[in-house]
Amino acid sequence: MARPTPLSGFPEWLPDGRVVEQHVLDTLRRTFELHGFAGIETRAVEPLDQLLRKGETSKEVYVLRRLQEDESDGGAPADRSEKQLGLHFDLTVPFARYVLENAGRLAFPFKRYQIQKVWRGERPQDGRFREFVQADIDVVGAGELPYHYEVELPLVMAEALGALREVGVPEVRILVNNRKVAEGFYRGLGLEDVEGVLRQVDKLDKIGPDAVGELLQTEQGATAEQAKACLELAAISGDDVGVVDRVRALAGSYDAVTELLETGLAELGSLVEAAARRAPGVVVADLKIARGLDYYTGSVYETVLVGHEQLGSICSGGRYDTLASDGKNTYPGVGLSIGVSRLVSRLLSAGLVAATRGVPTAVLVAVTDEEHRAQSDAVAAALRARGVPVDVAPTAAKFGKQIKFADRRGIPFVWFPGLPGDDGSAGPDQVKDIRSGEQVDADAATWAPPAQDLFPRVVPAAAG
Amino acid sequence: MARPTPLSGFPEWLPDGRVVEQHVLDTLRRTFELHGFAGIETRAVEPLDQLLRKGETSKEVYVLRRLQEDESDGGAPADRSEKQLGLHFDLTVPFARYVLENAGRLAFPFKRYQIQKVWRGERPQDGRFREFVQADIDVVGAGELPYHYEVELPLVMAEALGALREVGVPEVRILVNNRKVAEGFYRGLGLEDVEGVLRQVDKLDKIGPDAVGELLQTEQGATAEQAKACLELAAISGDDVGVVDRVRALAGSYDAVTELLETGLAELGSLVEAAARRAPGVVVADLKIARGLDYYTGSVYETVLVGHEQLGSICSGGRYDTLASDGKNTYPGVGLSIGVSRLVSRLLSAGLVAATRGVPTAVLVAVTDEEHRAQSDAVAAALRARGVPVDVAPTAAKFGKQIKFADRRGIPFVWFPGLPGDDGSAGPDQVKDIRSGEQVDADAATWAPPAQDLFPRVVPAAAG
């Protein structure tokens, strides 16, 4: 087998990169659990018709085929009763299906987190992968879901991402908007194709306000004044409730105040207010946030890494009045999804964070000679029983070579089992900190490394 | 959308089942890390030609196709330079590729653990799934790998599975054999098609000794005496080194002692001896263990849950002299793989273990009325800051209803924020253990639940 090369769009990390990713995942999981979200996993596949239900062909679904089908009859499914399956492209569609499938056995409102890989056959680019990890939180109600969850969920994400600041993850800014504000404003202006207008506004970052203004007139049939009003709304942002007053004043100046707009502004205001109190400086109302997806009906969220805005959103979501429906019940929800691979890939490639080592091992137990390997194994067992990650040298090479083995892996301590002296009694064990060179007598029943050396840590990188 | 039904072969758990699975995964990870194994993940896909390299069509590989290819040109890949991809059916093939791809950046011997889903398009049966989680450990050397790893790796698995005993997982029995023993014995008998003989012996559990003896004669051309000798070897088992003497005596009686047999017996003997010392009663030499796969060259392992032997092996593996090779270097390895889904599925379906609750939440903070929700949020934040998983009631319903909300989810404590009295000063907060009904004054800055109530625990089930 020739040396294989990486597959574009399918990221993999070396062991020290995986330590970083694992730390991110552990931190997210802990925060989600502290907030009462239950962890679930769904299967990687869904029936193809469900994946395409929202017309999501842009996600470039991967379709599965069993190899044996191919061989037995030239490509046609051997068993026609088997549904065609595809890999899920997000965790929302599978979660909606899980809720419907298990509705009778879940307690609502149901809060869940879900951390899994998803797949999209899109063209790989910087920060855009074909296989990547998402970490989602959602709360879903049966029939109804109080508004306050639209305030709480982005704050949970702010806390989760904030808990990563200490290891060198940059500050985040959560940009929020409310569909009711946009829709109320556009309808007040007399623009009825709200989806169409949102689709054009969503292009602002890519093509700029002049081109969007042009498109609003040529594609959506807006007048010059209507287009101007849409651009003025999109230009409003701020992290205090003053933003609500500015939107209301703008709408008033165009005589575009509607009941829907007022409802949206009340919601947006209470979100901004709660955020200013509970996570100052993190949440910013940004009236240009449109989120292309048509199923959002209230708050919408996007999140940028400060200083890495061109990476795009690393955590997005919103409120949907109909996450799922089985004809009898409707399940409204609100949720956000962190693009873990996009985040971790940037942390590693930009040298923002680093692992202190790529192996869990805190101590390498040296082997004096193969006849005494059992003595080294016994030391290792005693340390492990007390929670210390330990490896034993692979061979009884010269001690210098065994120390090099540890050094190459970043293992901070090497343990030397005591040797029997001339009188037959064993000498004391010794442990060496190979960074300082300090070597002291030690007993495997009591010695422990300093807490910061026990497991690999993730720290801000020197280059960051 | 009508209520969806489960897909056969693609298991999913309800939240309390996921608590059990997560506990199993956390326990395995911790044991692997204490033994110095570095965690990695590989992508879910491999080039199809690599997946089929060992002729593994029996694993029924799932092949991927991008939906857009299909639509744009009727099924032919749009970009012919793209390799055909399939989902991995185990974690060994991807690991071998990862080792070759990153050989220059890894330190050997390289010990890694890997816990991921794999996919096989086989017909689903009890304990056999199309999508399932495996937990693998392997150590791989560059050019050489000392024998002692063949002793250590099954003992790591014994420790990992042993650590699950306290939550109700049954005892395991690790059955070990050595390919050199079988090969040396067969060649000593004059049977040269070792693979063929192993393939027949592998059928013993399914069709019994008489039928295997018949097949050895009709299919492998063995004499009646050779067939009898093979069956006598396969009947030997035991958990001490006496087993080595019995094999040697048997070989002697057929004049079938070879150098290879002696090498194998020395290895098997030292494994059984070390296991008897370090994990008494867990490892049993069983000379009928054949492991169908042709790449094993030394020790082979299978593991049964005692009392659930008909479930099949839940942890298998062995030594392979060529895990990977890039023409210049050869990478020998030894590893084992736990079938986590098979294990967890049995634990749940047989009612052997249970989670104390399906949500992480230890405390539900009640909401007196929506105007005072911020007061409840503040209590929740104070408790979470001290590591207590907390949820806040979804609505300010009657307290009885809020207690029912907690009870339905198994949340042990409900917190009542103090209300302002007639004089305007807030009364004390109170917390109620809804199991005992006991209710006491409490301060969110100091109160904590008993340690056993902090997170859901996994415990032996009453039915187990």
Side-chain angles (χ1 to χ4, degrees), chain B residues 176-204:
Chain B
V176 304
N177 195 0
N178 191 299
R179 272 293 164 89
K180 293 171 186 164
V181 172
E183 179 166 351
F185 184 84
Y186 299 154
R187 289 195 193 283
L189 286 176
L191 293 167
E192 294 300 325
D193 179 7
V194 174
E195 288 303 323
V197 174
L198 280 172
R199 218 168 26 244
Q200 305 303 346
V201 170
D202 203 22
K203 299 175 185 166
L204 266 172

Side-chain angles (χ1 to χ4, degrees), chain A residues 32 56-57 68 115 161 196 217 251 253 303 306 314 317 325 350 364 382 401 405-406 422 449 452 456 464:
Chain A
F32 299 161
E56 289 288 12
T57 53
Q68 302 292 343
I115 300 177
L161 293 164
Q217 295 177 60
S253 75
T303 308
V306 175
I314 57 151
S325 170
L364 176 75
K401 208 174 157 192
F405 176 98
D422 292 339
Q452 76 268 21

Side-chain angles (χ1 to χ4, degrees), chain B residues 69-115:
Chain B
E69 295 167 8
D70 191 46
E71 293 188 340
S72 59
D73 53 14
D79 177 355
R80 295 243 163 227
S81 70
E82 278 191 49
K83 283 181 186 169
Q84 238 197 325
L85 301 175
L87 293 175
H88 56 217
F89 55 78
D90 71 7
L91 301 176
T92 306
V93 171
F95 176 54
R97 190 261 316 151
Y98 180 93
V99 165
L100 288 185
E101 190 175 314
N102 299 296
R105 292 173 288 178
L106 299 173
F108 294 96
F110 176 50
K111 295 168 73 171
R112 82 86 176 80
Y113 74 90
Q114 193 171 344
I115 301 176

Side-chain angles (χ1 to χ4, degrees), chain B residues 4 33 39 42 52 57 91 106 185 205 220 228 255 262 280 326 338 380 410 416 453 464:
Chain B
E33 293 187 345
T42 57
L52 302 179
T57 52
L91 301 176
L106 299 173
F185 184 84
D205 280 344
Q220 306 305 132
K228 178 163 162 283
D255 197 19
E262 285 295 352
D326 56 12
I338 295 181
F416 301 100
D453 287 331

Side-chain angles (χ1 to χ4, degrees), chain A residues 279-296:
Chain A
V282 174
V283 172
V284 176
D286 188 334
L287 278 293
K288 77 168 182 298
I289 299 299
R291 306 283 313 140
L293 305 170
D294 59 1
Y295 48 79
Y296 292 120

Side-chain angles (χ1 to χ4, degrees), chain A residues 37-302:
Chain A
F37 290 84
I40 67 161
E41 283 213 343
T42 57
R43 63 192 189 220
V45 303
E46 297 294 333
L48 192 56
D49 54 351
Q50 289 306 312
L51 291 172
L52 302 179
R53 205 159 53 99
K54 303 255 186 199
E56 289 288 12
T57 53
S58 63
K59 296 282 192 297
E60 295 238 14
V61 174
Y62 280 110
V63 184
L64 297 191
R65 174 175 57 83
R66 281 165 53 211
L67 188 64
Q68 302 292 343
E69 295 167 10
D70 192 45
E71 293 187 340
S72 59
D73 53 12
D79 178 355
R80 297 243 163 227
S81 69
E82 279 192 48
K83 282 182 186 167
Q84 237 195 327
L85 301 176
L87 294 174
H88 57 215
F89 55 78
D90 70 7
L91 301 177
T92 306
V93 172
F95 176 54
R97 190 261 315 151
Y98 180 93
V99 165
L100 287 186
E101 190 174 313
N102 299 296
R105 291 174 288 178
L106 299 174
F108 294 97
F110 177 50
K111 295 169 72 172
R112 81 88 174 81
Y113 75 90
Q114 193 171 345
I115 300 177
Q116 287 184 248
K117 287 187 175 165
V118 305
W119 294 267
R120 298 180 187 178
E122 299 173 292
R123 195 164 60 82
Q125 300 168 44
D126 182 32
R128 178 166 294 186
F129 301 112
R130 291 187 153 187
E131 172 178 291
F132 52 101
V133 177
Q134 286 193 331
D136 284 28
I137 54 172
D138 283 88
V139 54
V140 61
E144 56 180 6
L145 187 73
Y147 170 75
H148 63 80
Y149 288 114
E150 292 177 56
V151 178
E152 283 158 31
L153 264 67
L155 293 175
V156 174
M157 285 305 201
E159 191 176 318
L161 293 164
L164 292 167
R165 292 292 310 279
E166 68 183 39
V167 302
V169 173
E171 218 178 320
V172 299
R173 200 75 75 227
I174 302 182
L175 312 176
V176 305
N177 194 1
N178 191 299
R179 272 291 165 90
K180 293 172 188 165
V181 173
E183 180 167 348
F185 185 83
Y186 300 153
R187 291 198 192 280
L189 286 176
L191 293 167
E192 295 300 326
D193 180 7
V194 174
E195 288 302 323
V197 175
L198 281 172
R199 215 165 33 241
Q200 305 303 345
V201 170
D202 203 24
K203 298 174 185 167
L204 267 172
D205 280 346
K206 273 193 193 146
I207 61 176
D210 291 349
V212 169
E214 195 62 32
L215 284 172
L216 285 170
Q217 295 177 60
T218 56
E219 301 288 316
Q220 306 306 131
T223 65
E225 192 183 65
Q226 287 171 328
K228 179 163 160 284
C230 291
L231 292 174
E232 284 172 1
L233 179 70
I236 294 176
S237 75
D239 64 358
D240 60 41
V241 288
V243 82
V244 166
D245 301 327
R246 283 149 65 203
V247 173
R248 192 179 287 116
L250 178 72
S253 75
Y254 284 99
D255 198 19
V257 178
T258 60
E259 201 179 325
L260 189 62
L261 176 72
E262 285 295 351
T263 305
L265 286 176
E267 291 186 358
L268 187 61
S270 79
L271 171 49
V272 168
E273 195 183 22
R277 198 172 57 238
R278 287 161 63 175
V282 174
V283 172
V284 176
D286 188 334
L287 278 293
K288 77 168 182 298
I289 299 299
R291 306 283 313 140
L293 305 170
D294 59 1
Y295 48 79
Y296 292 120
T297 51
S299 303
V300 288
Y301 320 102
E302 292 192 357

Side-chain angles (χ1 to χ4, degrees), chain B residues 255-278:
Chain B
D255 197 19
V257 178
T258 61
E259 203 179 322
L260 188 63
L261 175 72
E262 285 295 352
T263 305
L265 285 176
E267 291 185 357
L268 187 61
S270 78
L271 170 49
V272 169
E273 193 182 23
R277 198 172 58 238
R278 287 161 62 175

